Tab-separated table of all heavy atoms in Angstrom:
chain	number	residue	atom	x	y	z
A	344	ALA	N	30.096	11.026	102.459
A	344	ALA	CA	30.744	9.756	102.139
A	344	ALA	C	29.710	8.646	102.298
A	344	ALA	O	29.249	8.365	103.412
A	344	ALA	CB	31.943	9.513	103.062
A	345	PHE	N	29.323	8.039	101.170
A	345	PHE	CA	28.267	7.034	101.145
A	345	PHE	C	28.876	5.640	101.084
A	345	PHE	O	29.782	5.385	100.296
A	345	PHE	CB	27.369	7.229	99.927
A	345	PHE	CG	26.618	8.536	99.905
A	345	PHE	CD1	27.180	9.660	99.322
A	345	PHE	CD2	25.349	8.638	100.456
A	345	PHE	CE1	26.494	10.863	99.281
A	345	PHE	CE2	24.666	9.835	100.424
A	345	PHE	CZ	25.232	10.954	99.842
A	346	ASN	N	28.336	4.729	101.866
A	346	ASN	CA	28.774	3.337	101.804
A	346	ASN	C	28.152	2.592	100.633
A	346	ASN	O	28.701	1.609	100.149
A	346	ASN	CB	28.434	2.607	103.107
A	346	ASN	CG	29.446	2.885	104.198
A	346	ASN	OD1	30.634	2.596	104.047
A	346	ASN	ND2	28.995	3.477	105.297
A	347	SER	N	26.969	3.047	100.197
A	347	SER	CA	26.289	2.410	99.080
A	347	SER	C	25.386	3.433	98.415
A	347	SER	O	25.216	4.556	98.895
A	347	SER	CB	25.456	1.214	99.560
A	347	SER	OG	24.391	1.656	100.389
A	348	ARG	N	24.777	3.025	97.316
A	348	ARG	CA	23.912	3.928	96.557
A	348	ARG	C	22.709	4.370	97.381
A	348	ARG	O	22.212	5.491	97.227
A	348	ARG	CB	23.458	3.222	95.277
A	348	ARG	CG	22.703	4.093	94.307
A	348	ARG	CD	22.402	3.338	93.039
A	348	ARG	NE	23.628	2.919	92.362
A	348	ARG	CZ	23.659	2.102	91.308
A	348	ARG	NH1	22.546	1.609	90.826
A	348	ARG	NH2	24.813	1.773	90.747
A	349	ASP	N	22.225	3.506	98.257
A	349	ASP	CA	21.020	3.795	99.040
A	349	ASP	C	21.323	4.135	100.499
A	349	ASP	O	20.436	4.086	101.352
A	349	ASP	CB	20.073	2.589	98.991
A	349	ASP	CG	19.650	2.249	97.568
A	349	ASP	OD1	19.406	3.191	96.798
A	349	ASP	OD2	19.587	1.056	97.239
A	350	ASP	N	22.568	4.476	100.782
A	350	ASP	CA	22.966	4.809	102.153
A	350	ASP	C	22.207	6.045	102.643
A	350	ASP	O	22.351	7.134	102.080
A	350	ASP	CB	24.476	5.062	102.184
A	350	ASP	CG	25.025	5.212	103.603
A	350	ASP	OD1	24.220	5.205	104.552
A	350	ASP	OD2	26.249	5.349	103.746
A	351	GLN	N	21.388	5.870	103.693
A	351	GLN	CA	20.599	6.977	104.228
A	351	GLN	C	21.275	7.680	105.399
A	351	GLN	O	20.762	8.666	105.916
A	351	GLN	CB	19.226	6.448	104.670
A	351	GLN	CG	18.380	5.931	103.527
A	351	GLN	CD	18.113	6.988	102.466
A	351	GLN	OE1	17.629	8.074	102.774
A	351	GLN	NE2	18.426	6.680	101.212
A	352	GLN	N	22.414	7.178	105.821
A	352	GLN	CA	23.149	7.796	106.925
A	352	GLN	C	24.633	7.935	106.553
A	352	GLN	O	25.503	7.339	107.183
A	352	GLN	CB	22.994	6.974	108.209
A	352	GLN	CG	21.572	6.959	108.743
A	352	GLN	CD	21.459	6.206	110.058
A	352	GLN	OE1	22.012	5.115	110.235
A	352	GLN	NE2	20.742	6.789	111.005
A	353	PRO	N	24.919	8.735	105.545
A	353	PRO	CA	26.324	8.892	105.139
A	353	PRO	C	27.105	9.712	106.157
A	353	PRO	O	26.532	10.448	106.955
A	353	PRO	CB	26.211	9.635	103.808
A	353	PRO	CG	24.955	10.441	103.952
A	353	PRO	CD	24.020	9.574	104.745
A	354	LEU	N	28.413	9.573	106.085
A	354	LEU	CA	29.293	10.446	106.852
A	354	LEU	C	29.249	11.832	106.210
A	354	LEU	O	29.400	11.962	104.992
A	354	LEU	CB	30.719	9.894	106.820
A	354	LEU	CG	31.821	10.773	107.423
A	354	LEU	CD1	31.634	10.923	108.925
A	354	LEU	CD2	33.200	10.188	107.097
A	355	THR	N	28.992	12.869	106.978
A	355	THR	CA	28.945	14.230	106.445
A	355	THR	C	29.887	15.125	107.232
A	355	THR	O	30.082	14.930	108.435
A	355	THR	CB	27.517	14.813	106.521
A	355	THR	OG1	27.119	14.912	107.889
A	355	THR	CG2	26.531	13.934	105.770
A	356	MET	N	30.458	16.098	106.561
A	356	MET	CA	31.332	17.047	107.247
A	356	MET	C	31.510	18.307	106.417
A	356	MET	O	31.303	18.305	105.197
A	356	MET	CB	32.694	16.409	107.540
A	356	MET	CG	33.543	16.093	106.333
A	356	MET	SD	35.086	15.225	106.781
A	356	MET	CE	34.441	13.650	107.352
A	357	LYS	N	31.886	19.379	107.081
A	357	LYS	CA	32.177	20.637	106.402
A	357	LYS	C	33.524	20.540	105.675
A	357	LYS	O	34.411	19.797	106.097
A	357	LYS	CB	32.226	21.783	107.413
A	357	LYS	CG	30.900	22.075	108.109
A	357	LYS	CD	31.069	23.207	109.119
A	357	LYS	CE	29.756	23.541	109.805
A	357	LYS	NZ	29.914	24.648	110.788
A	358	VAL	N	33.621	21.319	104.605
A	358	VAL	CA	34.888	21.389	103.879
A	358	VAL	C	35.200	22.843	103.540
A	358	VAL	O	34.327	23.713	103.599
A	358	VAL	CB	34.868	20.547	102.581
A	358	VAL	CG1	34.641	19.084	102.877
A	358	VAL	CG2	33.827	21.088	101.595
A	359	ILE	N	36.440	23.064	103.180
A	359	ILE	CA	36.916	24.360	102.671
A	359	ILE	C	37.367	24.126	101.236
A	359	ILE	O	38.123	23.182	100.960
A	359	ILE	CB	38.076	24.901	103.532
A	359	ILE	CG1	37.553	25.275	104.928
A	359	ILE	CG2	38.745	26.094	102.869
A	359	ILE	CD1	38.653	25.571	105.933
A	360	VAL	N	36.914	24.979	100.308
A	360	VAL	CA	37.231	24.801	98.892
A	360	VAL	C	38.071	25.964	98.386
A	360	VAL	O	38.411	26.881	99.128
A	360	VAL	CB	35.938	24.658	98.064
A	360	VAL	CG1	35.114	23.474	98.544
A	360	VAL	CG2	35.107	25.952	98.100
A	361	GLY	N	38.387	25.940	97.099
A	361	GLY	CA	39.272	26.935	96.512
A	361	GLY	C	38.675	28.330	96.459
A	361	GLY	O	37.461	28.513	96.359
A	362	LYS	N	39.559	29.319	96.518
A	362	LYS	CA	39.128	30.722	96.472
A	362	LYS	C	38.416	31.012	95.160
A	362	LYS	O	38.831	30.561	94.094
A	362	LYS	CB	40.353	31.632	96.620
A	362	LYS	CG	41.075	31.489	97.955
A	362	LYS	CD	42.356	32.308	97.972
A	362	LYS	CE	43.141	32.068	99.265
A	362	LYS	NZ	44.436	32.784	99.272
A	363	ALA	N	37.354	31.824	95.269
A	363	ALA	CA	36.482	32.063	94.117
A	363	ALA	C	37.195	32.738	92.960
A	363	ALA	O	36.953	32.414	91.800
A	363	ALA	CB	35.267	32.887	94.551
A	364	GLU	N	38.060	33.676	93.228
A	364	GLU	CA	38.626	34.465	92.145
A	364	GLU	C	39.821	33.809	91.468
A	364	GLU	O	39.985	33.901	90.253
A	364	GLU	CB	39.038	35.850	92.672
A	364	GLU	CG	37.873	36.705	93.141
A	364	GLU	CD	36.861	36.957	92.041
A	364	GLU	OE1	37.288	37.150	90.877
A	364	GLU	OE2	35.653	36.947	92.312
A	365	GLN	N	40.663	33.117	92.229
A	365	GLN	CA	41.939	32.677	91.671
A	365	GLN	C	42.166	31.178	91.679
A	365	GLN	O	42.870	30.662	90.807
A	365	GLN	CB	43.095	33.358	92.433
A	365	GLN	CG	43.096	34.874	92.313
A	365	GLN	CD	44.213	35.496	93.142
A	365	GLN	OE1	44.640	34.924	94.137
A	365	GLN	NE2	44.679	36.662	92.726
A	366	ASN	N	41.644	30.470	92.629
A	366	ASN	CA	42.008	29.063	92.809
A	366	ASN	C	40.773	28.177	92.958
A	366	ASN	O	40.639	27.447	93.943
A	366	ASN	CB	42.911	28.901	94.041
A	366	ASN	CG	44.167	29.732	93.958
A	366	ASN	OD1	44.347	30.677	94.711
A	366	ASN	ND2	45.040	29.392	93.028
A	367	GLN	N	39.893	28.235	91.987
A	367	GLN	CA	38.651	27.483	92.097
A	367	GLN	C	38.896	25.983	92.107
A	367	GLN	O	39.715	25.461	91.350
A	367	GLN	CB	37.724	27.834	90.935
A	367	GLN	CG	37.260	29.284	90.939
A	367	GLN	CD	36.369	29.609	89.761
A	367	GLN	OE1	35.899	28.726	89.065
A	367	GLN	NE2	36.126	30.893	89.535
A	368	THR	N	38.193	25.296	92.993
A	368	THR	CA	38.224	23.836	93.014
A	368	THR	C	37.492	23.325	91.776
A	368	THR	O	36.359	23.725	91.518
A	368	THR	CB	37.542	23.302	94.285
A	368	THR	OG1	38.293	23.726	95.431
A	368	THR	CG2	37.457	21.787	94.267
A	369	PRO	N	38.099	22.442	90.995
A	369	PRO	CA	37.465	22.003	89.733
A	369	PRO	C	36.415	20.917	89.982
A	369	PRO	O	36.460	20.184	90.975
A	369	PRO	CB	38.644	21.429	88.954
A	369	PRO	CG	39.555	20.892	90.015
A	369	PRO	CD	39.437	21.851	91.184
A	370	VAL	N	35.479	20.819	89.061
A	370	VAL	CA	34.595	19.654	89.016
A	370	VAL	C	35.436	18.479	88.520
A	370	VAL	O	36.206	18.611	87.562
A	370	VAL	CB	33.410	19.900	88.068
A	370	VAL	CG1	32.618	18.623	87.843
A	370	VAL	CG2	32.507	20.995	88.631
A	371	LEU	N	35.307	17.323	89.179
A	371	LEU	CA	36.064	16.152	88.738
A	371	LEU	C	35.386	14.862	89.179
A	371	LEU	O	34.514	14.863	90.059
A	371	LEU	CB	37.514	16.197	89.246
A	371	LEU	CG	37.803	16.258	90.752
A	371	LEU	CD1	37.638	14.906	91.441
A	371	LEU	CD2	39.218	16.749	90.998
A	372	TRP	N	35.798	13.788	88.544
A	372	TRP	CA	35.349	12.436	88.908
A	372	TRP	C	36.571	11.538	88.771
A	372	TRP	O	37.007	11.224	87.671
A	372	TRP	CB	34.224	11.971	87.984
A	372	TRP	CG	33.737	10.577	88.265
A	372	TRP	CD1	34.323	9.407	87.906
A	372	TRP	CD2	32.556	10.212	88.967
A	372	TRP	NE1	33.595	8.338	88.347
A	372	TRP	CE2	32.493	8.798	88.998
A	372	TRP	CE3	31.530	10.948	89.574
A	372	TRP	CZ2	31.450	8.111	89.607
A	372	TRP	CZ3	30.493	10.244	90.177
A	372	TRP	CH2	30.453	8.854	90.191
A	373	GLU	N	37.157	11.146	89.898
A	373	GLU	CA	38.369	10.342	89.883
A	373	GLU	C	38.273	9.246	90.944
A	373	GLU	O	37.382	9.266	91.796
A	373	GLU	CB	39.602	11.207	90.155
A	373	GLU	CG	39.831	12.329	89.148
A	373	GLU	CD	40.248	11.846	87.779
A	373	GLU	OE1	40.533	10.635	87.620
A	373	GLU	OE2	40.281	12.681	86.846
A	374	ASP	N	39.215	8.315	90.889
A	374	ASP	CA	39.262	7.212	91.850
A	374	ASP	C	40.358	7.453	92.872
A	374	ASP	O	41.521	7.649	92.502
A	374	ASP	CB	39.514	5.878	91.139
A	374	ASP	CG	38.309	5.402	90.353
A	374	ASP	OD1	37.174	5.779	90.727
A	374	ASP	OD2	38.489	4.675	89.357
A	375	MET	N	39.982	7.418	94.158
A	375	MET	CA	40.980	7.530	95.219
A	375	MET	C	41.790	6.242	95.273
A	375	MET	O	41.225	5.145	95.377
A	375	MET	CB	40.296	7.785	96.568
A	375	MET	CG	41.274	8.038	97.708
A	375	MET	SD	40.452	8.266	99.309
A	375	MET	CE	39.554	9.787	99.010
A	376	LYS	N	43.116	6.388	95.195
A	376	LYS	CA	44.005	5.225	95.136
A	376	LYS	C	44.717	4.955	96.464
A	376	LYS	O	44.976	3.809	96.814
A	376	LYS	CB	45.061	5.425	94.044
A	376	LYS	CG	44.506	5.682	92.651
A	376	LYS	CD	43.836	4.463	92.065
A	376	LYS	CE	43.458	4.693	90.602
A	376	LYS	NZ	42.775	3.530	90.015
A	377	TYR	N	45.077	6.019	97.184
A	377	TYR	CA	45.817	5.827	98.433
A	377	TYR	C	45.675	7.068	99.306
A	377	TYR	O	45.146	8.105	98.881
A	377	TYR	CB	47.301	5.543	98.137
A	377	TYR	CG	48.038	6.647	97.422
A	377	TYR	CD1	48.735	7.631	98.135
A	377	TYR	CD2	48.063	6.704	96.032
A	377	TYR	CE1	49.426	8.639	97.476
A	377	TYR	CE2	48.754	7.707	95.368
A	377	TYR	CZ	49.427	8.674	96.089
A	377	TYR	OH	50.102	9.670	95.438
A	378	LEU	N	46.138	6.971	100.536
A	378	LEU	CA	46.213	8.112	101.436
A	378	LEU	C	47.577	8.112	102.115
A	378	LEU	O	48.255	7.077	102.160
A	378	LEU	CB	45.089	8.099	102.469
A	378	LEU	CG	45.037	6.977	103.516
A	378	LEU	CD1	44.170	7.419	104.695
A	378	LEU	CD2	44.460	5.701	102.940
A	379	GLU	N	47.948	9.271	102.604
A	379	GLU	CA	49.237	9.401	103.289
A	379	GLU	C	49.017	10.004	104.666
A	379	GLU	O	48.420	11.087	104.781
A	379	GLU	CB	50.195	10.296	102.490
A	379	GLU	CG	50.790	9.638	101.271
A	379	GLU	CD	51.806	10.527	100.583
A	379	GLU	OE1	52.014	11.673	101.048
A	379	GLU	OE2	52.414	10.074	99.593
A	380	PHE	N	49.491	9.308	105.665
A	380	PHE	CA	49.498	9.847	107.025
A	380	PHE	C	50.777	10.667	107.215
A	380	PHE	O	51.831	10.319	106.690
A	380	PHE	CB	49.441	8.718	108.054
A	380	PHE	CG	48.138	7.962	108.044
A	380	PHE	CD1	48.076	6.638	107.631
A	380	PHE	CD2	46.955	8.572	108.460
A	380	PHE	CE1	46.887	5.930	107.639
A	380	PHE	CE2	45.758	7.882	108.457
A	380	PHE	CZ	45.719	6.564	108.039
A	381	MET	N	50.664	11.748	107.966
A	381	MET	CA	51.773	12.655	108.220
A	381	MET	C	52.501	13.009	106.914
A	381	MET	O	53.690	12.723	106.720
A	381	MET	CB	52.743	12.052	109.241
A	381	MET	CG	52.106	11.762	110.582
A	381	MET	SD	51.313	13.238	111.328
A	381	MET	CE	52.734	14.238	111.727
A	382	PRO	N	51.802	13.635	105.984
A	382	PRO	CA	52.375	13.875	104.656
A	382	PRO	C	53.330	15.067	104.619
A	382	PRO	O	53.238	15.996	105.424
A	382	PRO	CB	51.136	14.166	103.816
A	382	PRO	CG	50.194	14.819	104.788
A	382	PRO	CD	50.415	14.115	106.103
A	383	TYR	N	54.252	15.044	103.687
A	383	TYR	CA	54.987	16.240	103.295
A	383	TYR	C	54.045	17.103	102.454
A	383	TYR	O	53.137	16.596	101.800
A	383	TYR	CB	56.208	15.880	102.441
A	383	TYR	CG	57.398	15.376	103.219
A	383	TYR	CD1	57.529	14.026	103.542
A	383	TYR	CD2	58.409	16.257	103.606
A	383	TYR	CE1	58.636	13.560	104.245
A	383	TYR	CE2	59.520	15.795	104.309
A	383	TYR	CZ	59.627	14.455	104.630
A	383	TYR	OH	60.722	13.998	105.332
A	384	TRP	N	54.327	18.396	102.451
A	384	TRP	CA	53.621	19.279	101.510
A	384	TRP	C	54.616	19.736	100.472
A	384	TRP	O	55.518	20.517	100.746
A	384	TRP	CB	53.012	20.486	102.227
A	384	TRP	CG	52.292	21.417	101.278
A	384	TRP	CD1	51.562	21.067	100.187
A	384	TRP	CD2	52.251	22.844	101.349
A	384	TRP	NE1	51.056	22.176	99.564
A	384	TRP	CE2	51.469	23.289	100.261
A	384	TRP	CE3	52.800	23.792	102.228
A	384	TRP	CZ2	51.209	24.642	100.020
A	384	TRP	CZ3	52.543	25.138	101.992
A	384	TRP	CH2	51.748	25.562	100.904
A	385	ASN	N	54.462	19.195	99.259
A	385	ASN	CA	55.285	19.646	98.140
A	385	ASN	C	54.713	20.975	97.648
A	385	ASN	O	53.679	21.016	96.992
A	385	ASN	CB	55.277	18.599	97.024
A	385	ASN	CG	55.969	17.317	97.443
A	385	ASN	OD1	57.147	17.330	97.807
A	385	ASN	ND2	55.245	16.212	97.413
A	386	ILE	N	55.400	22.046	97.979
A	386	ILE	CA	54.849	23.390	97.759
A	386	ILE	C	54.846	23.709	96.269
A	386	ILE	O	55.906	23.711	95.624
A	386	ILE	CB	55.678	24.438	98.526
A	386	ILE	CG1	55.741	24.072	100.009
A	386	ILE	CG2	55.078	25.825	98.353
A	386	ILE	CD1	56.720	24.910	100.820
A	387	PRO	N	53.685	23.962	95.687
A	387	PRO	CA	53.640	24.337	94.262
A	387	PRO	C	54.484	25.573	94.004
A	387	PRO	O	54.548	26.489	94.819
A	387	PRO	CB	52.147	24.614	94.020
A	387	PRO	CG	51.434	23.834	95.076
A	387	PRO	CD	52.332	23.873	96.271
A	388	LYS	N	55.112	25.600	92.836
A	388	LYS	CA	56.012	26.708	92.515
A	388	LYS	C	55.276	28.053	92.506
A	388	LYS	O	55.827	29.075	92.912
A	388	LYS	CB	56.676	26.468	91.159
A	388	LYS	CG	57.840	27.428	90.878
A	388	LYS	CD	58.568	27.065	89.617
A	388	LYS	CE	59.824	27.911	89.452
A	388	LYS	NZ	59.591	29.354	89.552
A	389	SER	N	54.026	28.030	92.066
A	389	SER	CA	53.273	29.289	92.028
A	389	SER	C	53.087	29.858	93.428
A	389	SER	O	53.199	31.068	93.639
A	389	SER	CB	51.914	29.064	91.365
A	389	SER	OG	51.165	28.084	92.075
A	390	ILE	N	52.819	28.987	94.406
A	390	ILE	CA	52.658	29.444	95.787
A	390	ILE	C	53.998	29.895	96.348
A	390	ILE	O	54.089	30.913	97.051
A	390	ILE	CB	52.045	28.323	96.660
A	390	ILE	CG1	50.626	27.992	96.172
A	390	ILE	CG2	52.022	28.734	98.125
A	390	ILE	CD1	49.979	26.850	96.927
A	391	MET	N	55.048	29.130	96.005
A	391	MET	CA	56.376	29.489	96.501
A	391	MET	C	56.790	30.864	95.977
A	391	MET	O	57.258	31.725	96.741
A	391	MET	CB	57.385	28.430	96.048
A	391	MET	CG	58.736	28.531	96.743
A	391	MET	SD	58.623	28.062	98.494
A	391	MET	CE	60.152	28.753	99.112
A	392	ASP	N	56.581	31.087	94.684
A	392	ASP	CA	57.020	32.347	94.076
A	392	ASP	C	56.213	33.541	94.579
A	392	ASP	O	56.766	34.602	94.877
A	392	ASP	CB	56.914	32.265	92.551
A	392	ASP	CG	57.947	31.310	91.946
A	392	ASP	OD1	58.881	30.929	92.678
A	392	ASP	OD2	57.802	30.949	90.768
Side-chain angles (χ1 to χ4, degrees):
F345 297 89
N346 279 300
S347 66
R348 187 175 299 172
D349 300 320
D350 189 356
Q351 295 301 306
Q352 294 183 315
L354 172 66
T355 63
M356 67 184 68
K357 295 179 179 180
V358 299
I359 292 169
V360 301
K362 297 174 185 176
E364 295 301 322
Q365 298 177 333
N366 302 112
Q367 295 179 13
T368 296
V370 171
L371 59 77
W372 178 281
E373 300 290 351
D374 288 334
M375 185 182 295
K376 303 291 188 181
Y377 62 92
L378 65 160
E379 285 184 358
F380 293 112
M381 300 304 291
Y383 281 87
W384 179 36
N385 293 302
I386 304 170
K388 192 173 187 307
S389 59
I390 296 177
M391 192 70 197
D392 290 347

